[in-house]
Amino acid sequence: TLAFGGLAPRICRMPNTEKYLVGKALNSVATLQGALAILQEEARAVISTNAGKVGYRLNLVTNLFYKAILGVLPAHMIGEDILSVYVPYTRPLSSGIQSFTTQPSEAPVSFPIPKLKSRLQTSGGLKYTGDAALSDKVFGSFVQSTIASGDIESIDPTDALNAEGVIAFIGAED
């Protein structure tokens, strides 16, 4: 099953591409080219113009499909020229050194000055807002609509206000 989200308000299946792939060799260039052509036609037909960036979404569908096909093929069937798409990139541990040239005649302008809180920040001695104890605090929550482009006619906060721990409802008019 080929299904993509983010193209339209609902998840979209690509049945024509699915039918085309049945019984075909996935490592064949001709199969991939044919499937990609059908997939782009199907995707273009369902992409919501309200979602924006139609070209970007078409490229994203194409790339996700291509990567999924490579993901089901055994590694020995993938050519060296496209192996980087298949094998996750592992980045070595990075390191760095900063060096400054100073001009004694411009002192203290060109001299490195340590940030006042740097030792506290790097040693764990500095308290951040996330470290604060949160007893007797009130939390807020935004509730998002399940309808993408709709107009709010009214809001009934009765169920929310009856829920345990709810103190207040704050709407746009507040």
PDB file of all heavy atoms in Angstrom, residues 2 17-18 20-33 35-36 65-66 68-74 77-78 82:
ATOM      1  N   LEU A   2       0.579   2.178  -0.870  1.00  0.00           N
ATOM      2  CA  LEU A   2       1.276   3.460  -0.909  1.00  0.00           C
ATOM      3  C   LEU A   2       0.320   4.518  -0.396  1.00  0.00           C
ATOM      4  O   LEU A   2      -0.715   4.775  -1.011  1.00  0.00           O
ATOM      5  CB  LEU A   2       1.695   3.814  -2.335  1.00  0.00           C
ATOM      6  CG  LEU A   2       2.852   3.052  -2.926  1.00  0.00           C
ATOM      7  CD1 LEU A   2       3.056   3.460  -4.377  1.00  0.00           C
ATOM      8  CD2 LEU A   2       4.114   3.309  -2.141  1.00  0.00           C
ATOM      9  N   THR A  17      -0.309   3.523  -8.873  1.00  0.00           N
ATOM     10  CA  THR A  17       1.109   3.191  -8.696  1.00  0.00           C
ATOM     11  C   THR A  17       1.244   1.810  -8.068  1.00  0.00           C
ATOM     12  O   THR A  17       2.102   1.015  -8.467  1.00  0.00           O
ATOM     13  CB  THR A  17       1.811   4.256  -7.830  1.00  0.00           C
ATOM     14  OG1 THR A  17       1.528   5.547  -8.355  1.00  0.00           O
ATOM     15  CG2 THR A  17       3.303   4.042  -7.792  1.00  0.00           C
ATOM     16  N   GLU A  18       0.371   1.511  -7.097  1.00  0.00           N
ATOM     17  CA  GLU A  18       0.385   0.184  -6.470  1.00  0.00           C
ATOM     18  C   GLU A  18       0.166  -0.907  -7.518  1.00  0.00           C
ATOM     19  O   GLU A  18       0.911  -1.889  -7.566  1.00  0.00           O
ATOM     20  CB  GLU A  18      -0.716   0.087  -5.404  1.00  0.00           C
ATOM     21  CG  GLU A  18      -0.509   0.963  -4.196  1.00  0.00           C
ATOM     22  CD  GLU A  18      -1.724   0.986  -3.279  1.00  0.00           C
ATOM     23  OE1 GLU A  18      -2.680   0.211  -3.488  1.00  0.00           O
ATOM     24  OE2 GLU A  18      -1.723   1.797  -2.335  1.00  0.00           O
ATOM     25  N   TYR A  20       0.627  -0.774 -10.740  1.00  0.00           N
ATOM     26  CA  TYR A  20       1.749  -0.813 -11.684  1.00  0.00           C
ATOM     27  C   TYR A  20       2.907  -1.647 -11.136  1.00  0.00           C
ATOM     28  O   TYR A  20       3.571  -2.367 -11.882  1.00  0.00           O
ATOM     29  CB  TYR A  20       2.224   0.613 -11.997  1.00  0.00           C
ATOM     30  CG  TYR A  20       3.453   0.649 -12.870  1.00  0.00           C
ATOM     31  CD1 TYR A  20       3.356   0.493 -14.247  1.00  0.00           C
ATOM     32  CD2 TYR A  20       4.716   0.820 -12.321  1.00  0.00           C
ATOM     33  CE1 TYR A  20       4.483   0.511 -15.060  1.00  0.00           C
ATOM     34  CE2 TYR A  20       5.847   0.839 -13.115  1.00  0.00           C
ATOM     35  CZ  TYR A  20       5.724   0.690 -14.479  1.00  0.00           C
ATOM     36  OH  TYR A  20       6.845   0.700 -15.270  1.00  0.00           O
ATOM     37  N   LEU A  21       3.157  -1.563  -9.829  1.00  0.00           N
ATOM     38  CA  LEU A  21       4.315  -2.236  -9.242  1.00  0.00           C
ATOM     39  C   LEU A  21       4.127  -3.734  -9.040  1.00  0.00           C
ATOM     40  O   LEU A  21       5.110  -4.460  -8.882  1.00  0.00           O
ATOM     41  CB  LEU A  21       4.655  -1.583  -7.898  1.00  0.00           C
ATOM     42  CG  LEU A  21       5.253  -0.183  -7.982  1.00  0.00           C
ATOM     43  CD1 LEU A  21       5.328   0.444  -6.608  1.00  0.00           C
ATOM     44  CD2 LEU A  21       6.620  -0.224  -8.638  1.00  0.00           C
ATOM     45  N   VAL A  22       2.880  -4.217  -9.052  1.00  0.00           N
ATOM     46  CA  VAL A  22       2.625  -5.631  -8.789  1.00  0.00           C
ATOM     47  C   VAL A  22       3.333  -6.496  -9.831  1.00  0.00           C
ATOM     48  O   VAL A  22       3.170  -6.312 -11.039  1.00  0.00           O
ATOM     49  CB  VAL A  22       1.103  -5.923  -8.785  1.00  0.00           C
ATOM     50  CG1 VAL A  22       0.840  -7.435  -8.694  1.00  0.00           C
ATOM     51  CG2 VAL A  22       0.433  -5.204  -7.638  1.00  0.00           C
ATOM     52  N   GLY A  23       4.168  -7.429  -9.332  1.00  0.00           N
ATOM     53  CA  GLY A  23       4.860  -8.380 -10.192  1.00  0.00           C
ATOM     54  C   GLY A  23       6.074  -7.841 -10.918  1.00  0.00           C
ATOM     55  O   GLY A  23       6.669  -8.553 -11.723  1.00  0.00           O
ATOM     56  N   LYS A  24       6.456  -6.594 -10.661  1.00  0.00           N
ATOM     57  CA  LYS A  24       7.617  -6.012 -11.346  1.00  0.00           C
ATOM     58  C   LYS A  24       8.845  -6.047 -10.429  1.00  0.00           C
ATOM     59  O   LYS A  24       8.733  -6.025  -9.215  1.00  0.00           O
ATOM     60  CB  LYS A  24       7.310  -4.581 -11.763  1.00  0.00           C
ATOM     61  CG  LYS A  24       6.245  -4.506 -12.855  1.00  0.00           C
ATOM     62  CD  LYS A  24       6.253  -3.151 -13.505  1.00  0.00           C
ATOM     63  CE  LYS A  24       5.402  -3.106 -14.744  1.00  0.00           C
ATOM     64  NZ  LYS A  24       4.020  -3.407 -14.599  1.00  0.00           N
ATOM     65  N   ALA A  25      10.013  -6.076 -11.040  1.00  0.00           N
ATOM     66  CA  ALA A  25      11.277  -6.063 -10.297  1.00  0.00           C
ATOM     67  C   ALA A  25      11.541  -4.640  -9.804  1.00  0.00           C
ATOM     68  O   ALA A  25      11.655  -3.709 -10.607  1.00  0.00           O
ATOM     69  CB  ALA A  25      12.417  -6.530 -11.187  1.00  0.00           C
ATOM     70  N   LEU A  26      11.632  -4.472  -8.495  1.00  0.00           N
ATOM     71  CA  LEU A  26      11.821  -3.138  -7.921  1.00  0.00           C
ATOM     72  C   LEU A  26      13.209  -2.564  -8.181  1.00  0.00           C
ATOM     73  O   LEU A  26      13.401  -1.360  -8.060  1.00  0.00           O
ATOM     74  CB  LEU A  26      11.548  -3.161  -6.417  1.00  0.00           C
ATOM     75  CG  LEU A  26      10.124  -3.505  -6.005  1.00  0.00           C
ATOM     76  CD1 LEU A  26      10.002  -3.522  -4.497  1.00  0.00           C
ATOM     77  CD2 LEU A  26       9.137  -2.524  -6.607  1.00  0.00           C
ATOM     78  N   ASN A  27      14.157  -3.412  -8.546  1.00  0.00           N
ATOM     79  CA  ASN A  27      15.513  -2.905  -8.808  1.00  0.00           C
ATOM     80  C   ASN A  27      15.713  -2.535 -10.271  1.00  0.00           C
ATOM     81  O   ASN A  27      16.803  -2.192 -10.675  1.00  0.00           O
ATOM     82  CB  ASN A  27      16.562  -3.913  -8.352  1.00  0.00           C
ATOM     83  CG  ASN A  27      16.489  -5.217  -9.133  1.00  0.00           C
ATOM     84  OD1 ASN A  27      15.437  -5.583  -9.639  1.00  0.00           O
ATOM     85  ND2 ASN A  27      17.598  -5.919  -9.203  1.00  0.00           N
ATOM     86  N   SER A  28      14.655  -2.571 -11.061  1.00  0.00           N
ATOM     87  CA  SER A  28      14.741  -2.211 -12.471  1.00  0.00           C
ATOM     88  C   SER A  28      14.561  -0.704 -12.637  1.00  0.00           C
ATOM     89  O   SER A  28      13.617  -0.110 -12.112  1.00  0.00           O
ATOM     90  CB  SER A  28      13.652  -2.954 -13.258  1.00  0.00           C
ATOM     91  OG  SER A  28      13.412  -2.331 -14.498  1.00  0.00           O
ATOM     92  N   VAL A  29      15.452  -0.092 -13.369  1.00  0.00           N
ATOM     93  CA  VAL A  29      15.372   1.352 -13.633  1.00  0.00           C
ATOM     94  C   VAL A  29      14.073   1.678 -14.357  1.00  0.00           C
ATOM     95  O   VAL A  29      13.386   2.648 -14.044  1.00  0.00           O
ATOM     96  CB  VAL A  29      16.599   1.834 -14.446  1.00  0.00           C
ATOM     97  CG1 VAL A  29      16.434   3.283 -14.867  1.00  0.00           C
ATOM     98  CG2 VAL A  29      17.870   1.653 -13.631  1.00  0.00           C
ATOM     99  N   ALA A  30      13.696   0.837 -15.325  1.00  0.00           N
ATOM    100  CA  ALA A  30      12.459   1.070 -16.080  1.00  0.00           C
ATOM    101  C   ALA A  30      11.240   1.007 -15.159  1.00  0.00           C
ATOM    102  O   ALA A  30      10.313   1.815 -15.283  1.00  0.00           O
ATOM    103  CB  ALA A  30      12.328   0.043 -17.206  1.00  0.00           C
ATOM    104  N   THR A  31      11.226   0.059 -14.229  1.00  0.00           N
ATOM    105  CA  THR A  31      10.117  -0.045 -13.281  1.00  0.00           C
ATOM    106  C   THR A  31      10.027   1.212 -12.433  1.00  0.00           C
ATOM    107  O   THR A  31       8.943   1.776 -12.247  1.00  0.00           O
ATOM    108  CB  THR A  31      10.301  -1.281 -12.364  1.00  0.00           C
ATOM    109  OG1 THR A  31      10.307  -2.451 -13.168  1.00  0.00           O
ATOM    110  CG2 THR A  31       9.191  -1.372 -11.336  1.00  0.00           C
ATOM    111  N   LEU A  32      11.162   1.664 -11.904  1.00  0.00           N
ATOM    112  CA  LEU A  32      11.160   2.867 -11.065  1.00  0.00           C
ATOM    113  C   LEU A  32      10.719   4.099 -11.846  1.00  0.00           C
ATOM    114  O   LEU A  32       9.933   4.906 -11.356  1.00  0.00           O
ATOM    115  CB  LEU A  32      12.544   3.096 -10.455  1.00  0.00           C
ATOM    116  CG  LEU A  32      12.901   2.186  -9.288  1.00  0.00           C
ATOM    117  CD1 LEU A  32      14.324   2.450  -8.821  1.00  0.00           C
ATOM    118  CD2 LEU A  32      11.938   2.360  -8.144  1.00  0.00           C
ATOM    119  N   GLN A  33      11.198   4.238 -13.069  1.00  0.00           N
ATOM    120  CA  GLN A  33      10.807   5.400 -13.877  1.00  0.00           C
ATOM    121  C   GLN A  33       9.313   5.386 -14.173  1.00  0.00           C
ATOM    122  O   GLN A  33       8.645   6.411 -14.080  1.00  0.00           O
ATOM    123  CB  GLN A  33      11.614   5.433 -15.179  1.00  0.00           C
ATOM    124  CG  GLN A  33      13.052   5.836 -14.963  1.00  0.00           C
ATOM    125  CD  GLN A  33      13.888   5.748 -16.240  1.00  0.00           C
ATOM    126  OE1 GLN A  33      13.524   5.075 -17.200  1.00  0.00           O
ATOM    127  NE2 GLN A  33      15.021   6.441 -16.230  1.00  0.00           N
ATOM    128  N   ALA A  35       6.953   3.838 -12.394  1.00  0.00           N
ATOM    129  CA  ALA A  35       6.230   4.051 -11.133  1.00  0.00           C
ATOM    130  C   ALA A  35       6.279   5.520 -10.723  1.00  0.00           C
ATOM    131  O   ALA A  35       5.270   6.081 -10.270  1.00  0.00           O
ATOM    132  CB  ALA A  35       6.821   3.172 -10.039  1.00  0.00           C
ATOM    133  N   LEU A  36       7.411   6.153 -10.875  1.00  0.00           N
ATOM    134  CA  LEU A  36       7.538   7.566 -10.506  1.00  0.00           C
ATOM    135  C   LEU A  36       6.662   8.460 -11.383  1.00  0.00           C
ATOM    136  O   LEU A  36       6.063   9.415 -10.904  1.00  0.00           O
ATOM    137  CB  LEU A  36       9.000   8.013 -10.564  1.00  0.00           C
ATOM    138  CG  LEU A  36       9.887   7.467  -9.447  1.00  0.00           C
ATOM    139  CD1 LEU A  36      11.349   7.768  -9.733  1.00  0.00           C
ATOM    140  CD2 LEU A  36       9.481   8.034  -8.100  1.00  0.00           C
ATOM    141  N   PHE A  65       9.041   7.959  -1.770  1.00  0.00           N
ATOM    142  CA  PHE A  65       8.795   6.709  -2.488  1.00  0.00           C
ATOM    143  C   PHE A  65      10.119   6.048  -2.878  1.00  0.00           C
ATOM    144  O   PHE A  65      10.320   4.851  -2.663  1.00  0.00           O
ATOM    145  CB  PHE A  65       7.947   6.979  -3.736  1.00  0.00           C
ATOM    146  CG  PHE A  65       7.820   5.782  -4.633  1.00  0.00           C
ATOM    147  CD1 PHE A  65       7.011   4.718  -4.299  1.00  0.00           C
ATOM    148  CD2 PHE A  65       8.525   5.725  -5.835  1.00  0.00           C
ATOM    149  CE1 PHE A  65       6.904   3.614  -5.126  1.00  0.00           C
ATOM    150  CE2 PHE A  65       8.415   4.625  -6.668  1.00  0.00           C
ATOM    151  CZ  PHE A  65       7.599   3.569  -6.314  1.00  0.00           C
ATOM    152  N   TYR A  66      11.021   6.827  -3.444  1.00  0.00           N
ATOM    153  CA  TYR A  66      12.318   6.311  -3.877  1.00  0.00           C
ATOM    154  C   TYR A  66      13.086   5.715  -2.702  1.00  0.00           C
ATOM    155  O   TYR A  66      13.632   4.615  -2.787  1.00  0.00           O
ATOM    156  CB  TYR A  66      13.102   7.443  -4.535  1.00  0.00           C
ATOM    157  CG  TYR A  66      14.396   7.023  -5.174  1.00  0.00           C
ATOM    158  CD1 TYR A  66      14.421   6.119  -6.226  1.00  0.00           C
ATOM    159  CD2 TYR A  66      15.607   7.547  -4.732  1.00  0.00           C
ATOM    160  CE1 TYR A  66      15.606   5.739  -6.821  1.00  0.00           C
ATOM    161  CE2 TYR A  66      16.798   7.165  -5.330  1.00  0.00           C
ATOM    162  CZ  TYR A  66      16.795   6.263  -6.369  1.00  0.00           C
ATOM    163  OH  TYR A  66      17.967   5.882  -6.954  1.00  0.00           O
ATOM    164  N   ALA A  68      11.805   4.598   0.080  1.00  0.00           N
ATOM    165  CA  ALA A  68      11.105   3.395   0.542  1.00  0.00           C
ATOM    166  C   ALA A  68      11.461   2.194  -0.329  1.00  0.00           C
ATOM    167  O   ALA A  68      11.679   1.089   0.185  1.00  0.00           O
ATOM    168  CB  ALA A  68       9.596   3.636   0.539  1.00  0.00           C
ATOM    169  N   ILE A  69      11.528   2.397  -1.641  1.00  0.00           N
ATOM    170  CA  ILE A  69      11.904   1.302  -2.553  1.00  0.00           C
ATOM    171  C   ILE A  69      13.317   0.829  -2.237  1.00  0.00           C
ATOM    172  O   ILE A  69      13.582  -0.370  -2.132  1.00  0.00           O
ATOM    173  CB  ILE A  69      11.798   1.736  -4.037  1.00  0.00           C
ATOM    174  CG1 ILE A  69      10.342   1.990  -4.412  1.00  0.00           C
ATOM    175  CG2 ILE A  69      12.441   0.719  -4.966  1.00  0.00           C
ATOM    176  CD1 ILE A  69       9.450   0.781  -4.385  1.00  0.00           C
ATOM    177  N   LEU A  70      14.236   1.769  -2.054  1.00  0.00           N
ATOM    178  CA  LEU A  70      15.610   1.382  -1.708  1.00  0.00           C
ATOM    179  C   LEU A  70      15.661   0.656  -0.373  1.00  0.00           C
ATOM    180  O   LEU A  70      16.496  -0.230  -0.166  1.00  0.00           O
ATOM    181  CB  LEU A  70      16.512   2.613  -1.673  1.00  0.00           C
ATOM    182  CG  LEU A  70      16.803   3.275  -3.019  1.00  0.00           C
ATOM    183  CD1 LEU A  70      17.673   4.502  -2.818  1.00  0.00           C
ATOM    184  CD2 LEU A  70      17.450   2.315  -3.986  1.00  0.00           C
ATOM    185  N   GLY A  71      14.753   1.026   0.540  1.00  0.00           N
ATOM    186  CA  GLY A  71      14.733   0.399   1.861  1.00  0.00           C
ATOM    187  C   GLY A  71      14.317  -1.060   1.845  1.00  0.00           C
ATOM    188  O   GLY A  71      14.662  -1.811   2.751  1.00  0.00           O
ATOM    189  N   VAL A  72      13.565  -1.491   0.828  1.00  0.00           N
ATOM    190  CA  VAL A  72      13.138  -2.889   0.781  1.00  0.00           C
ATOM    191  C   VAL A  72      14.072  -3.758  -0.062  1.00  0.00           C
ATOM    192  O   VAL A  72      13.968  -4.976  -0.027  1.00  0.00           O
ATOM    193  CB  VAL A  72      11.680  -3.033   0.260  1.00  0.00           C
ATOM    194  CG1 VAL A  72      10.717  -2.354   1.200  1.00  0.00           C
ATOM    195  CG2 VAL A  72      11.533  -2.532  -1.152  1.00  0.00           C
ATOM    196  N   LEU A  73      14.949  -3.129  -0.810  1.00  0.00           N
ATOM    197  CA  LEU A  73      15.901  -3.895  -1.617  1.00  0.00           C
ATOM    198  C   LEU A  73      17.096  -4.343  -0.770  1.00  0.00           C
ATOM    199  O   LEU A  73      17.547  -3.610   0.109  1.00  0.00           O
ATOM    200  CB  LEU A  73      16.414  -3.048  -2.783  1.00  0.00           C
ATOM    201  CG  LEU A  73      15.415  -2.705  -3.877  1.00  0.00           C
ATOM    202  CD1 LEU A  73      16.052  -1.751  -4.882  1.00  0.00           C
ATOM    203  CD2 LEU A  73      14.927  -3.961  -4.575  1.00  0.00           C
ATOM    204  N   PRO A  74      17.632  -5.527  -1.044  1.00  0.00           N
ATOM    205  CA  PRO A  74      18.855  -5.939  -0.359  1.00  0.00           C
ATOM    206  C   PRO A  74      20.012  -5.005  -0.746  1.00  0.00           C
ATOM    207  O   PRO A  74      20.051  -4.497  -1.875  1.00  0.00           O
ATOM    208  CB  PRO A  74      19.105  -7.360  -0.879  1.00  0.00           C
ATOM    209  CG  PRO A  74      17.837  -7.790  -1.523  1.00  0.00           C
ATOM    210  CD  PRO A  74      17.113  -6.559  -1.933  1.00  0.00           C
ATOM    211  N   MET A  77      21.879  -5.136  -4.098  1.00  0.00           N
ATOM    212  CA  MET A  77      21.178  -4.759  -5.334  1.00  0.00           C
ATOM    213  C   MET A  77      21.231  -3.251  -5.589  1.00  0.00           C
ATOM    214  O   MET A  77      20.738  -2.778  -6.596  1.00  0.00           O
ATOM    215  CB  MET A  77      19.721  -5.201  -5.280  1.00  0.00           C
ATOM    216  CG  MET A  77      19.526  -6.692  -5.257  1.00  0.00           C
ATOM    217  SD  MET A  77      17.786  -7.086  -5.221  1.00  0.00           S
ATOM    218  CE  MET A  77      17.601  -7.802  -6.831  1.00  0.00           C
ATOM    219  N   ILE A  78      21.818  -2.522  -4.662  1.00  0.00           N
ATOM    220  CA  ILE A  78      21.862  -1.059  -4.785  1.00  0.00           C
ATOM    221  C   ILE A  78      23.249  -0.661  -5.285  1.00  0.00           C
ATOM    222  O   ILE A  78      24.261  -1.067  -4.722  1.00  0.00           O
ATOM    223  CB  ILE A  78      21.554  -0.391  -3.434  1.00  0.00           C
ATOM    224  CG1 ILE A  78      20.143  -0.787  -3.002  1.00  0.00           C
ATOM    225  CG2 ILE A  78      21.683   1.118  -3.533  1.00  0.00           C
ATOM    226  CD1 ILE A  78      19.789  -0.355  -1.618  1.00  0.00           C
ATOM    227  N   ILE A  82      24.383   5.261  -5.605  1.00  0.00           N
ATOM    228  CA  ILE A  82      23.224   5.728  -4.824  1.00  0.00           C
ATOM    229  C   ILE A  82      23.175   5.119  -3.429  1.00  0.00           C
ATOM    230  O   ILE A  82      22.184   5.239  -2.728  1.00  0.00           O
ATOM    231  CB  ILE A  82      21.892   5.435  -5.565  1.00  0.00           C
ATOM    232  CG1 ILE A  82      21.766   3.954  -5.860  1.00  0.00           C
ATOM    233  CG2 ILE A  82      21.757   6.276  -6.800  1.00  0.00           C
ATOM    234  CD1 ILE A  82      20.397   3.576  -6.388  1.00  0.00           C
TER     235      ILE A  82
END
